[in-house]
C-alpha cells in the first residue's frame, strides 16, 4: 500500500466528516465537508447539499442515539470507500452500509451508498462485518 | 492515481471473476478465483468456497438471465471495491450492490457486501449509480 499525500488527505477528510457530521448527525457541519454542487445518489435523501442537511436533521430527530461504527475504509485517487454499521438505538441489529465518496477540491462532491438490514440467524454464521 | 503492479493485478483478478464466475453464475469457475479458506460475509450464502458454489447454482437456477453491470471499481492494496447493478430479469429495477474483496496470494480470500433494492419514485431524482 502506498498512498499519495492527496489520497491521505482524501481519506482524512472523509473520516473527519464521519466524526464531525455523520456521527453527530449535525447539519451545521455540512458546509465544512460537502461541496456546494454535491451530487447525492442516496435513494432516500433529497438531492444536493441542502437535501443532506434536511436528511441529517430528520435522522437526528428520529434516532438521536444512532451510532455509525466504521469497520474499514479505503482510498484510491479521489474515491473513498467506507464500510460501517449503523445502529439506531442500543440493541438494534442495525444496517450494514457501504458508502463511496468522490472528493474534489478538498470537499465531498459526490456520494453513492448501499444499505442492508442486518438479520441474525441466516445460513452464514460469519458477521456481515 | 498511481496503482502498484500488485494493485493492478488485484483489480484485474476481481474483474475477471465478475466476467467468468459471477456474471455467468458459474460454480465451475469458483476454484479458479476463490481461496480454499475463503471467508464469506454475505448474509444469504453458506460460508466458505463450497457455500459460494451452492449459492451460484441457486441464483442461476432461479434467475438464469440475471446481469451484473459493473458501474465503478477501486483498489487499495489487497482490497478491491466494486459497485454494480444486478438485474434479475429484463425490466427488473434490481439491486444496487457494493462488494469489498480481500485478495491474498492471487485469490479472493474474503468478501463483504451490501445489497439494496432499487426503488424508483423516491425523493431523489438522481440514479443510485
Amino acid at each position: 500500500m502506498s498512498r499519495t499525500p492527496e489520497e491521505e488527505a482524501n481519506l482524512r477528510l472523509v473520516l473527519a466528516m464521519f466524526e464531525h457530521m455523520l456521527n453527530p448527525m449535525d447539519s451545521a457541519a455540512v458546509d465544512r465537508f460537502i461541496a456546494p454542487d454535491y451530487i447525492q445518489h442516496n435513494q432516500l435523501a433529497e438531492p444536493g447539499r441542502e437535501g443532506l442537511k434536511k436528511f441529517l436533521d430528520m435522522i437526528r430527530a428520529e434516532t438521536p442515539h444512532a451510532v455509525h461504527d466504521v469497520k474499514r475504509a479505503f482510498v484510491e485517487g479521489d474515491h473513498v470507500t467506507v464500510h460501517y454499521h449503523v445502529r439506531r438505538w442500543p440493541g438494534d441489529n442495525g444496517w450494514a452500509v457501504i458508502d463511496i465518496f468522490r472528493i474534489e477540491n478538498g470537499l465531498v462532491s459526490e456520494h453513492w451508498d448501499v444499505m442492508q438490514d442486518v438479520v441474525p440467524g441466516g445460513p452464514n454464521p460469519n458477521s456481515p462485518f
Side-chain angles (χ1 to χ4, degrees), chain A residues 13-73:
Chain A
L13 175 77
V14 167
L15 296 180
M17 181 187 66
F18 268 71
E19 182 181 352
H20 297 291
M21 187 196 81
L22 187 59
N23 252 327
M25 299 169 279
D26 185 3
S27 61
V30 165
D31 290 355
R32 185 175 151 197
F33 296 103
I34 305 293
D37 56 350
Y38 179 60
I39 304 171
Q40 171 70 277
H41 294 275
N42 176 290
Q43 296 190 69
L44 301 177
E46 293 181 30
R49 190 160 77 167
E50 296 310 309
L52 177 59
K53 292 176 187 173
K54 205 167 148 184
F55 186 74
L56 289 169
D57 287 342
M58 182 194 74
I59 64 174
R60 185 156 78 168
E62 287 181 357
T63 56
H65 304 295
V67 292
H68 303 74
D69 185 11
V70 173
K71 301 296 186 180
R72 53 192 57 79

Side-chain angles (χ1 to χ4, degrees), chain A residues 86-99:
Chain A
V86 179
R87 281 166 296 182
R88 290 158 290 181
W89 45 76
D92 182 26
N93 290 315
W95 294 312
V97 185
I98 300 177
D99 283 343

Side-chain angles (χ1 to χ4, degrees), chain A residues 79-110:
Chain A
H79 287 85
V80 176
T81 299
V82 186
H83 188 194
Y84 58 103
H85 188 189
V86 179
R87 281 166 296 182
R88 290 158 290 181
W89 45 76
D92 182 26
N93 290 315
W95 294 312
V97 185
I98 300 177
D99 283 343
I100 298 171
F101 303 96
R102 185 175 60 78
I103 316 302
E104 193 179 317
N105 300 322
L107 292 173
V108 175
S109 297
E110 191 160 8

